[in-house]
Amino acid sequence: MVFMAGLDYFVCGSGHWPDVYDNNNNHNLLVCEAKTERSWLCFLVPGVRGGILSILEISNLSLSFGGVKALQDVSFRVPENTITTVIGPNGAGKTSLFNCISGFYKPQQGTIRYQGEVLAGVKPPARAAMGLARTFQNIALFRGMTVLDNIKLGAHVHMKSGLLSSLAYFGAARREEMAVRREVERHIIDFLEIDHIRRQPVASLSYGLQKRVELARALAMRPKVLMLDEPVAGMNREEKEDMARFILDIREEWDVTVLMVEHDMGMVMDISDHIAVLNFGQVITEGLPADVQNNPEVIKAYLGNSDMDSLRKKLNPQREVA
Amino acid sequence: MRIGDAKQTYEADEAIWTSPTQKFWFALFLLALLVFPLMANAYLLYLGCLVGIAVISTTGLNILTGFTGLISLGQAGFMGVGGYTVAWFSLNTGLPFPVTLLLAGLLAAAVGILVGLPSLRVKGLYLAIATLAASVFLHFIFAEWESVTGGMGGLSLEPAHLFGVTFQSDFRMYFIIVPLAVLMVFAARNVFRTRIGRAFIAIRDRDISAEILGIDLLRYKLMSFALSSFYAGVAGGLFAYFYRVVTPESFPLSMSIFYLAAVIVGGMGNLLGGILGAAFMTLIPEILKLLTAALTPFYPNAPVFMSPMLEIIFGALIVGFLIFEPHGLAEIWHRIRRFFSLWPFRN
């Protein structure tokens, strides 16, 4: 386990839930005691924070494709400098919500406010320039480029060199490229521990490393809100722990708000400050991890209804009549 | 085995030539290009000029099709725009060749932007058809706009000139074409060291995520079209100066396919591949003709059998390369380089 500066104490693992809340006003540290058989561990976890300022505010968002209602009247807010997670069963509309925020889908109703500004009509590249960065569920790296070029591409919106100076690779264009290279090397590649693969084409990397390169590319966009679509899906335990640590460090050191979609409940409960639960395109509930976890609606959405009578009625309504 | 090439600065790490060996071989190559016209006969000189023009045009198409992933069948049309621009300006204004070539490139780029407009909506084969339509349209203009293009008869022009020097021979044209080809390939290489080149590749690999990551698709697709047709326009202008006549038949549709084949055989998205592909496509038919001539003393009937076979052999070679070397000639080159840089180890 690595303890990083800037992050207080954190141990990632699944199966232990925050138990005792000791909410300091300022830094908001949560003292959490492991509930499981590994109760000899006592953790300090960065806890609930933010609260007043929302960097992203989604109100009454509705999106449908023909008859399919992907999102219905979705409202929730992402407090600044938190890790906010959207959870929900498959097909609940989590990725559609991300695509709306990125500007790839245009919702029929509702608004998305980012730093108080309504995003409707802002094109995806402009949103990227405003500080909305994201990773994708099905890794969207550019296979024809090396790791380094993929990451540098993330800095695209913050670069200015035009075609003519690029053709000559002289003066401003060259200086800008070198500045980006320095920034990427010092702050991102070093931080995410991917210096050994920077020359490799991304297609040759393992799944876990590809996810990490995608995170690096998102960081190169100098985000204010970092949207992570299933950052640990398909990873082994060790890779998950690394990724969780990176996400926490990023929030601390880069002063970034993280908005995440994730299915790994252990990780979600461990590192989230705020959780919103989606089911069938609607927000069922939102709140602190512990609250969400014990919410009967959430349990129903994830595990299904245990009431057999109502299920029978649903499957075979005629018998009731007869 | 190449060792000890650790770099102290990022500048050194991102240089085009990263080792003294590479610099040495490249200097030798440049020297060979310089000495070649002094040693070569008229036929080889003619071929050298043709390869130079083909390299410029193929590099342009490679930027568009190989790097940005936009298939275009309009390359001959853009070259035609360049060729006619050079012909018209040299007939009507007598401007020196650097100016006319620049105008040829710029006008072709403008036409390229127009033709590229549908590329935001259509991709792949659909875009190929859209550019094919543009190419037919351009061909129609070349043939019918008689007051400017001279109709089917085309335009004849004076040799290129600069500061009182005229470039009437292949020997002299070689010294315009080849340095320009080297320069333009290097310029293309530079583009792919910067954000613009990365944006092109990103659009090719995953256009939707590229947009979400901050790349304005329309802007960069059109920029790719403009750059590609600028190269085509300059190549077309050189073509006009080289043959000193342009007619609508100088730039047939088969020429577009020729360049597309050069890009694919050489290696899509690889500048070296474009160069090798251009040389291959230009030289192989000539080599096959030479082979036929060499066979004639032994089989007097060789030309009778061989001349219809040439096209078939040429086609078979292309198909063979596609099957056995899908990444193109550039991959063969890289394998050879790897062998020498790793020697005495296998891999």
Side-chain angles (χ1 to χ4, degrees), chain A residues 236-272:
Chain A
N236 66 32
R237 191 190 165 92
E238 196 186 338
E239 287 170 332
K240 278 182 189 173
E241 286 182 6
D242 281 345
M243 188 54 91
R245 180 167 57 85
F246 287 136
I247 294 171
L248 286 166
D249 285 358
I250 287 165
R251 192 262 306 265
E252 257 346 281
E253 291 178 20
W254 292 62
D255 202 23
V256 162
T257 307
V258 178
L259 175 61
M260 177 170 79
V261 163
E262 186 46 66
H263 281 301
D264 186 300
M265 283 307 138
M267 170 166 148
V268 168
M269 295 300 163
D270 272 351
I271 72 172
S272 306

Side-chain angles (χ1 to χ4, degrees), chain B residues 245-260:
Chain B
V245 59
V246 281
T247 70
E249 296 318 310
S250 307
F251 309 100
L253 179 63
S254 61
M255 201 173 194
S256 292
I257 295 164
F258 173 93
Y259 286 117
L260 203 55

Side-chain angles (χ1 to χ4, degrees), chain A:
Chain A
M1 192 56 56
V2 184
F3 292 88
M4 299 288 288
L7 164 70
D8 297 290
Y9 295 103
F10 167 69
V11 175
C12 172
S14 49
H16 50 83
W17 311 117
D19 199 18
V20 186
Y21 288 86
D22 179 15
N23 215 335
N24 297 344
N25 265 346
N26 235 344
H27 199 63
N28 293 333
L29 271 182
L30 266 187
V31 179
C32 141
E33 207 173 270
K35 219 176 184 181
T36 58
E37 62 281 2
R38 303 188 305 160
S39 58
W40 51 275
L41 290 167
C42 183
F43 307 131
L44 282 169
V45 187
V48 185
R49 51 171 73 208
I52 302 161
L53 286 168
S54 314
I55 193 160
L56 205 59
E57 220 175 310
I58 288 140
S59 32
N60 310 103
L61 204 67
S62 295
L63 173 77
S64 55
F65 303 102
V68 182
K69 287 176 178 156
L71 297 171
Q72 297 176 54
D73 209 25
V74 169
S75 301
F76 75 98
R77 49 193 213 89
V78 181
E80 197 160 5
N81 204 21
T82 57
I83 295 176
T84 298
T85 307
V86 180
I87 60 172
N90 288 330
K94 303 182 296 295
T95 300
S96 296
L97 178 68
F98 264 37
N99 283 340
C100 286
I101 299 172
S102 293
F104 180 59
Y105 290 159
K106 289 176 186 61
Q108 280 86 5
Q109 275 168 32
T111 54
I112 301 168
R113 277 174 198 275
Y114 168 68
Q115 295 183 312
E117 201 179 318
V118 178
L119 282 183
V122 180
K123 294 236 158 63
R127 294 185 193 206
M130 290 163 83
L132 285 168
R134 75 175 278 188
T135 65
F136 298 83
Q137 187 176 355
N138 49 343
I139 301 174
L141 290 170
F142 304 110
R143 301 175 74 82
M145 285 192 269
T146 62
V147 169
L148 193 57
D149 277 343
N150 263 283
I151 300 172
K152 281 199 270 184
L153 184 112
H156 184 89
V157 286
H158 301 293
M159 300 173 79
K160 288 187 203 68
S161 57
L163 184 57
L164 284 180
S165 60
S166 294
L167 283 162
Y169 196 70
F170 190 75
R174 185 193 196 114
R175 278 196 300 278
E176 191 178 58
E177 283 300 321
M178 288 305 129
V180 164
R181 174 82 194 270
R182 250 190 310 280
E183 184 190 315
V184 163
E185 289 281 353
R186 288 182 191 169
H187 295 128
I188 299 172
I189 291 187
D190 197 39
F191 169 66
L192 292 177
E193 296 159 22
I194 46 177
D195 43 333
H196 58 297
I197 51 164
R198 60 160 88 80
R199 292 247 164 259
Q200 288 182 28
V202 288
S204 67
L205 300 177
S206 70
Y207 190 79
L209 279 175
Q210 290 196 13
K211 283 263 180 193
R212 209 184 286 182
V213 173
E214 229 198 347
L215 178 62
R217 187 178 63 185
L219 283 181
M221 296 169 76
R222 296 179 205 159
K224 291 198 184 81
V225 173
L226 179 61
M227 296 193 282
L228 305 172
D229 200 342
E230 303 201 9
V232 300
M235 286 187 173
N236 66 32
R237 191 190 165 92
E238 196 186 338
E239 287 170 332
K240 278 182 189 173
E241 286 182 6
D242 281 345
M243 188 54 91
R245 180 167 57 85
F246 287 136
I247 294 171
L248 286 166
D249 285 358
I250 287 165
R251 192 262 306 265
E252 257 346 281
E253 291 178 20
W254 292 62
D255 202 23
V256 162
T257 307
V258 178
L259 175 61
M260 177 170 79
V261 163
E262 186 46 66
H263 281 301
D264 186 300
M265 283 307 138
M267 170 166 148
V268 168
M269 295 300 163
D270 272 351
I271 72 172
S272 306
D273 305 308
H274 186 84
I275 294 178
V277 188
L278 272 184
N279 194 22
F280 295 114
Q282 286 172 306
V283 175
I284 309 176
T285 185
E286 63 171 318
L288 297 174
D291 300 343
V292 165
Q293 201 175 5
N294 297 322
N295 186 310
E297 282 281 318
V298 177
I299 295 167
K300 203 168 104 184
Y302 265 91
L303 300 177
N305 199 338
S306 58
D307 182 357
M308 289 309 284
D309 280 342
S310 72
L311 192 65
R312 276 197 201 98
K313 273 183 216 160
K314 207 166 153 190
L315 289 174
N316 209 344
Q318 290 92 346
R319 187 170 291 174
E320 182 101 34
V321 179

